[in-house]
């Protein structure tokens, strides 16, 4: 994994900013108001893409962790840490925007629906991962333990996805093969949202990974300084 | 001769006695099996009467014109998007802050390590 060039990052930032503007226009002005739920249905254009970004973050975290356990190379560990934080950010967005939509659609903020329950479980597993990595330093044992935890968390992701099909629940299924009941403008807004949030998630993981690589370099230099007896002065 | 427990405990109803008894026993068995099968089939059918997919929203339809709302949907919408953008920009700010601190520490440490032994 070589370091990306700054110009590539800048181009990516500009593209994501343009997608952000397009997303706001599509969800607030282009997509029509829903017949029974009203304007609150527009949360859908943020909620669903955030859920996919959560899968992306947690999935990359588990992949990075698995490859780190095999190769013991720092860049994979950096990818795992970065993806876990970004996945958790989108998980929190999903768990806040969903209940705000549910208040209007179901009449309650929260219900122990299978998909909601398994999503909060994934959030707790990856919160444990992030807390473990944040408060235990960069020790080898902690990194390996956290990697194992991320792999365990991976098994919850298909359960979240298929829970709504397998078990009785209230969660809408408008974009599955059984649903498909979206007006064309709504589909366009959702697709723009998916592209924007995916680009945003990739950009955030990329940026957060750079920070982790800097920290890894810092830790290596600190060890060198400690060996030379300079750590107190540095 | 004394029969074993297994031989005594399982004996087909139609295997002994006059032919009339055998026919009645077979008919009774068939009626019982039919009743049990009906019970199982009806129970399963009743349990699955409501398709899980049917109790959920499966379509989002576009409304025409302004719609009156009971729950303030606008406030919920602003709350959802507002929270998302605050969380997002907060996270970006936190990365920028942590990156700045890490770079400063790295630069200082590199300078310290590059200094000749006598100048420290």
């Amino acid at each position: 994994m070589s370091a990306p060039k700054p110009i590539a990052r800048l181009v990516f930032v500009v593209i994501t900013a343009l997608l952000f503007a397009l997303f706001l226009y599509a969800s607030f002005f282009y997509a029509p108001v829903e017949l029974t739920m009203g304007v609150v249905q527009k949360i859908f254009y943020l909620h669903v893409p955030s859920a996919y970004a959560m899968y992306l973050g947690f999935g990359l975290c588990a992949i990075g962790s698995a490859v780190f356990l095999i190769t013991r190379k720092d860049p994979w560990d950096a990818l795992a840490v970065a993806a876990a934080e970004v996945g958790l950010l989108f998980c929190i967005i999903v768990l806040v925007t969903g209940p705000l939509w549910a208040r209007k659609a179901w009449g309650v903020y929260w219900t122990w629906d299978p998909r909601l329950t398994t999503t909060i479980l994934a959030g707790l597993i990856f919160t444990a991962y992030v807390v473990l990595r944040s408060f235990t330093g960069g020790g080898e044992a902690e990194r390996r333990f956290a990697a194992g935890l991320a792999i365990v968390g991976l098994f919850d992701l298909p359960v979240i996805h298929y829970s709504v099909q397998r078990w009785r629940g209230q969660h809408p299924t408008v974009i599955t093969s059984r649903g498909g009941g979206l007006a064309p403008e709504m589909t366009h807004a959702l697709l723009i949202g998916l592209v924007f949030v995916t680009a945003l998630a990739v950009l955030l993981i990329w940026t957060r990974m750079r920070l982790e690589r800097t920290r890894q370099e810092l830790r290596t230099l600190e060890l060198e300084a400690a060996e030379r007896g300079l750590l107190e002065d540095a | 001769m004394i029969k074993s427990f297994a031989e005594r405990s399982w004996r087909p109803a139609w295997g002994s006695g006059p032919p009339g008894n055998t026919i009645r026993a077979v008919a009774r068995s068939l009626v019982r099996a039919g009743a049990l099968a009906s019970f199982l089939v009806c129970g399963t059918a009743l349990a699955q009467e409501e398709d899980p997919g049917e109790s959920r929203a499966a379509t989002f339809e576009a409304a025409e014109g302004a719609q009156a709302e009971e729950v303030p949907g606008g406030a919920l919408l602003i709350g959802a998007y507002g929270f998302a953008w605050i969380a997002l920009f907060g996270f970006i700010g936190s990365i920028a802050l942590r990156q700045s601190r890490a770079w400063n520490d790295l630069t200082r440490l590199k300078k310290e390590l590059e200094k000749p032994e006598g100048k420290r």
Side-chain angles (χ1 to χ4, degrees):
Chain A
M1 281 192 214
S2 60
K5 290 185 173 69
I7 188 75
R9 241 172 66 81
L10 188 65
V11 169
F12 205 89
V13 169
V14 171
I15 290 170
T16 309
L18 290 174
L19 283 169
F20 177 51
L22 187 62
F23 166 71
L24 288 179
Y25 171 77
S27 48
F28 286 104
F29 301 105
Y30 176 70
V33 173
E34 210 272 335
L35 181 64
T36 50
M37 281 179 275
V39 289
V40 82
Q41 184 269 339
K42 288 179 186 289
I43 291 175
F44 171 76
Y45 308 119
L46 177 67
H47 177 80
V48 174
S50 297
Y52 281 95
M54 175 191 79
Y55 287 137
L56 179 72
F58 290 165
L60 280 177
C61 174
I63 291 168
S65 297
V67 179
F68 169 71
L69 283 177
I70 296 164
T71 63
R72 299 295 160 86
K73 287 185 176 165
D74 283 345
W76 292 105
D77 183 53
L79 172 68
V81 172
E85 273 193 21
V86 173
L88 190 58
L89 169 76
F90 283 106
C91 182
I92 292 166
I93 290 174
V94 167
L95 288 172
V96 170
T97 57
L100 289 172
W101 170 85
R103 174 67 186 85
K104 174 77 178 176
W106 297 340
V108 289
Y109 285 106
W110 184 264
T111 176
W112 292 102
D113 176 270
R115 181 167 275 187
L116 274 61
T117 309
T118 48
T119 304
I120 206 165
L121 177 65
L124 290 172
I125 292 170
F126 284 91
T127 299
Y129 178 93
V130 171
V131 169
L132 186 66
R133 294 306 304 265
S134 302
F135 294 102
T136 56
E140 187 64 19
E142 289 85 1
R143 292 204 294 175
R144 275 187 287 167
F145 183 81
L149 186 63
I151 293 166
V152 170
L154 179 70
F155 289 103
D156 188 40
L157 302 185
V159 178
I160 297 173
H161 190 72
Y162 292 107
S163 61
V164 79
Q165 293 164 21
R166 288 280 169 199
W167 300 306
R168 196 177 289 264
Q170 290 174 292
H171 200 279
T173 56
V174 287
I175 52 167
T176 64
S177 56
R178 297 186 64 182
L182 277 177
E185 295 88 350
M186 292 177 176
T187 308
H188 300 156
L190 177 65
L191 289 175
I192 291 167
L194 282 169
V195 173
F196 159 63
V197 174
T198 305
L200 181 66
V202 169
L203 183 64
L204 288 176
I205 292 170
W206 186 354
T207 310
R208 178 63 185 83
M209 200 177 152
R210 278 177 73 228
L211 166 63
E212 198 56 30
R213 294 291 291 147
T214 310
R215 283 178 164 179
Q216 285 172 350
E217 194 183 349
L218 186 62
R219 273 195 291 272
T220 309
L221 286 182
E222 277 174 351
L223 281 175
E224 191 186 325
E227 280 171 9
R228 288 161 63 174
L230 302 171
L231 198 58
E232 296 253 327
D233 296 332
Chain B
M1 188 176 138
I2 300 168
K3 287 182 179 177
S4 70
F5 177 76
E7 283 172 321
R8 279 181 285 130
S9 58
W10 191 85
R11 181 164 50 88
W14 56 85
S16 58
N21 286 351
T22 306
I23 291 166
R24 273 199 295 276
V26 169
R28 256 199 316 271
S29 298
L30 285 174
V31 168
R32 282 175 191 160
L36 182 64
S38 307
F39 175 74
L40 291 174
V41 168
C42 291
T44 312
L46 282 171
Q48 293 186 343
E49 192 176 14
E50 192 184 0
D51 189 338
E54 300 302 318
S55 62
R56 299 190 283 268
T59 54
F60 286 160
E61 294 170 37
E64 294 194 8
Q67 301 288 315
E69 297 196 22
E70 292 162 11
V71 178
L76 294 171
L77 181 68
I78 291 167
Y81 276 82
F83 174 82
W85 302 142
I86 289 169
L88 188 63
F89 288 112
F91 183 67
I92 292 169
S94 128
I95 292 180
L97 193 67
R98 287 182 285 171
Q99 183 75 67
S100 166
R101 278 184 196 154
W103 267 331
N104 287 342
D105 288 349
L106 191 66
T107 311
R108 205 173 60 231
L109 196 55
K110 272 182 179 171
K111 276 182 188 165
E112 199 66 30
L113 285 167
E114 282 164 6
K115 276 183 193 170
E117 286 286 331
K119 288 192 175 179
R120 281 177 196 143

